[in-house]
Structure formats: C-alpha cells, structure tokens
Amino acid sequence: MTNTELIEKINKLKKEKNAIILAHCYQNPEIDFVADYVGDSLGLSRLASKTDAEIIVFAGVYFMAETAKILSPDKKVLLPNKNSGCNMADMINLKQVKEFKEKYPDVPLVCYVNSSAEVKAQCDICCTSANAVNVVKSLGLKKVLFAPDCYLGSWVQKNLPDVEVISYPGFCPTHLRIIPDEIVKMKIMYKDAKILVHPECHQEVVKLADFVGSTTQIMQYCESTNHKQYIIATEKGVIDRLKRDFPEKEFILASSKLICHNMKWNTLDDILNSLLYDQFEVTVEEEIRQKALNSIQRMIELK
Ligand code: 13P
Ligand code: SF4
C-alpha cells in the first residue's frame, strides 16, 4: 500500500472507531498526516487527560502511552509498535527508585515523565522537560530528589540555585551524543544562528545555548522569532518538522547522530494494524495507576 492509501485508510478507521492519534514530535514526519495532535510530552499528557475518544493510539514511546493509560483508564490505549521503549526510562526500576529514596529519607522525589508507572508511583510529583523548573519551584523546598535524568536535574539546579537538587544518574543516550565542540564549530560557520538546546543535553552544551526548552518550546521559539538560522540540539524529528513548516528559515541539526531509534519504530503500517486489531494494548495495574496518577495530576494542575 502507498503512504497516501495508508493515510486515507487510517483517517477513515480513526473516525469509525472513535480513536484519536497522539504523536510525539520525534516520530517519523509522515505520522503527522494521521495525527490529531503532535507535540511534546507535556502537551500530549494534557490531551490524553481530556480526550473524549474511546481509543488513544500513541505514536511515541512506551512511557508516553503508559502515562496516557494512567490518565485515561477507561480508554483503550494502543502503542503501534511494541519495540518503542526509552533508554532513559529503563535506567530506573522499582528497586532502584526505592534505594534512591532510602538514601535520602524525607526528601521528596520529583520524577521526569520519562519513567515507568511503577517509578512514578513512588514519587511526589512528576514533571516534563517543559515544566521541570516550575514544578520544583512550586514545591518551595530546600532539597529535592530528581530522577531519572541527571542532566534535566542539572538544568533545574542551574535555574534554582537556592534548592539542592540531588539527581539520580540516568541520562538520554541520544542527547548525550551532542558534544560542545560541535556546537562551537557550528557557531563559527553560522555566526548569526541561534542555538536551541533540549535540557536533556550535557550541561556543557546547555551553557552554549541561546534558548533551552522542550521540543514544543523549541519549535515555538522558531515560530515566534525572526532569525534566519537556528542550530537545533535535539532529536532529528524536530528539525524535520521545522524545515517543513518554516521553509524560509534555515535549520541546522547540531549533530548528525541526533536520532532516537526508539522513536522511529512506529510506521503508518503499524498504526493501521493498531487500529484494525487493537494492538498493542497498554495496561497498568490499578494500585500502581492510582499512585502514579496522583503525581501526574499534581503536575497537570500546575499552570
Ligand atoms: P519533551 O519533553 O520535549 O517531549 O521530550 C521528551 C523526550 O523524550 C526527550 O528526549
Ligand atoms: Fe528516551 Fe532519549 Fe529517546 Fe527521549 S530521546 S525517548 S529520552 S531515549
């Protein structure tokens, strides 16, 4: 089947089954032709909590689909390709989060959404890359634990010097592929370019940024500013969309290695099969779901 035929079939089936397709902006760009919403983790969580659809097809990675299921337990949540995991989320399990908390008794834990439901169930509040600083600030505490991304933890620490942020040693292998030297060289080649960096990058890369933000925040920055050139330090899916949406501007990927293969599994064929055969359904045990829900809802309720 051609892509055009697949897109037509998916869009028809979506209506017939009262399904919604949510896609992260690291997905292959052709997924946008069938997606009802494309965005960052925060936007996708918000939408998953509000939709009236009976089925949510989540074109993203497992923890994102699981978050949607936690927020919408009565809906069927489908992950089109079951290989779509997240290396960072896999760096912390239930035993490890418990050990981390035991080392620092009575210090609240802030948990990045890039984590499993079991881990979220152990934390006090969740955050995404878009709101991590605000979430920690809202707690008004002197000390917090942060898991699993130590680089997002460093970004929070940099913005909130009065809070002690104790980070778990997790990281995103994709974002760590960007090294400061590459950015410095690019800045020499593209003198007027603005450097936009995701906070999962190493703090030495973050230091070189003109703007640090989530994927959606980076895209909004490009839309709302009038520079000619932008160096983008996040996964390739973002630059694919920026080039498509703003052909008059120039976007340069900070490193050709910036591809998250976990995010590229889902294809249009997978999405069609997912809708046809209700696969692959994501479930969360109710006791864990309830606990994880508290920490996600606390985050969503913040402005
Ligand atoms: P966003 O919070 O920008 O969606 O990022 C999610 C993610 O997995 C980045 O690696
Ligand atoms: Fe996980 Fe990194 Fe891929 Fe995001 S880019 S899904 S954090 S491995």
Side-chain angles (χ1 to χ4, degrees), residues 24 26 40-41 63-64 112 114 128-129 175 198 200 214-215:
H24 191 268
Y26 291 165
D40 66 358
S41 307
F63 77 79
M64 295 179 177
Y112 191 21
N114 295 33
T128 74
S129 64
H175 284 85
H198 195 279
E200 285 177 17
S214 75
T215 48

Side-chain angles (χ1 to χ4, degrees), residues 60 62 79-85 262 265-266 270 279-281:
Y62 188 81
L79 184 69
N81 188 308
K82 57 180 169 190
N83 295 312
S84 313
N262 301 306
W265 284 100
N266 295 312
D270 291 332
Q279 67 190 24
F280 295 92
E281 190 169 355

Side-chain angles (χ1 to χ4, degrees), residues 26 41-42 63 88 110-115 125-136 144-160 163-172 175-176 197-204 206 212-215 217 299:
Y26 291 165
S41 307
L42 181 62
F63 77 79
M88 183 201 289
V110 180
C111 189
Y112 191 21
V113 282
N114 295 33
S115 55
I125 186 165
C126 274
C127 73
T128 74
S129 64
N131 63 14
V133 174
N134 282 345
V135 165
V136 174
V144 293
L145 300 181
F146 194 89
D149 186 10
C150 67
Y151 294 99
L152 185 58
S154 300
W155 172 239
V156 173
Q157 182 66 85
K158 189 175 174 186
N159 281 275
L160 302 173
V163 183
E164 187 186 349
V165 182
I166 304 167
S167 291
Y168 181 86
F171 59 90
C172 165
H175 284 85
L176 282 200
V197 172
H198 195 279
E200 285 177 17
C201 292
H202 195 282
Q203 60 265 42
E204 292 303 318
V206 167
V212 179
S214 75
T215 48
Q217 289 168 337
M299 167 188 85

